[in-house]
């Protein structure tokens, strides 16, 4: 699967709500590879006053995917980026309600 422009080394990530629905602020197109939790995520990004807070967005969903890929790279160090992405995509929970929002294969 490639994003527009044929970028095959990238993985496109959208975000879901805590109810496993596509968030209204997420990208939602047929070229998204997968969706990850991105709503109301405890964030380590310091907020004003030195506290931490809850944030939402694809910037909160993407680290879930990056972390999963990092763990796969540790387990399969000889895999290239395409093999790692394929391993990840082969393990996603395919939710029928989200089929309109992603293209995972």
């Amino acid at each position: 699967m490639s994003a527009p422009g044929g970028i095959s080394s990238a993985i496109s990530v959208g975000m879901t709500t805590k109810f496993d629905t596509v968030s209204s602020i997420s990208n939602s197109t047929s070229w998204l590879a997968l969706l990850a939790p991105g709503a109301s995520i405890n964030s380590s990004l310091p907020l004003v006053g030195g506290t931490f807070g809850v944030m939402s967005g694809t910037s909160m969903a993407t680290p879930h995917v990056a972390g999963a890929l990092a763990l796969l790279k540790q387990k399969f160090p000889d895999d290239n980026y395409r093999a790692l992405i394929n391993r990840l995509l082969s393990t996603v929970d395919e939710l029928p309600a989200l089929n309109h929002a992603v293209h995972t294969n």
Side-chain angles (χ1 to χ4, degrees):
M1 191 206 96
S2 296
I7 302 170
S8 62
S9 61
I11 186 165
S12 53
V13 179
M15 67 174 270
T16 60
T17 68
K18 63 183 178 180
F19 303 108
D20 277 340
T21 60
V22 179
S23 170
S24 63
I25 63 172
S26 176
N27 293 324
S28 177
T29 66
S30 62
W31 57 267
L32 281 178
L34 63 120
L35 295 156
S40 301
I41 304 296
N42 289 325
S43 175
S44 61
L45 179 66
L47 300 175
V48 176
T51 62
F52 296 93
V54 174
M55 299 182 73
S56 296
T58 54
S59 294
M60 299 291 103
T62 301
H64 287 89
V65 176
L69 286 167
L71 291 170
L72 284 169
K73 183 63 176 174
Q74 182 179 16
K75 183 161 178 75
F76 304 100
D78 295 330
D79 278 5
N80 65 19
Y81 68 88
R82 187 73 251 164
L84 294 169
I85 290 172
N86 288 339
R87 283 185 192 276
L88 179 67
L89 293 179
S90 73
T91 65
V92 299
D93 291 334
E94 294 188 22
L95 302 175
L98 301 180
N99 283 345
H100 71 283
V102 296
H103 174 75
T104 301
N105 62 13

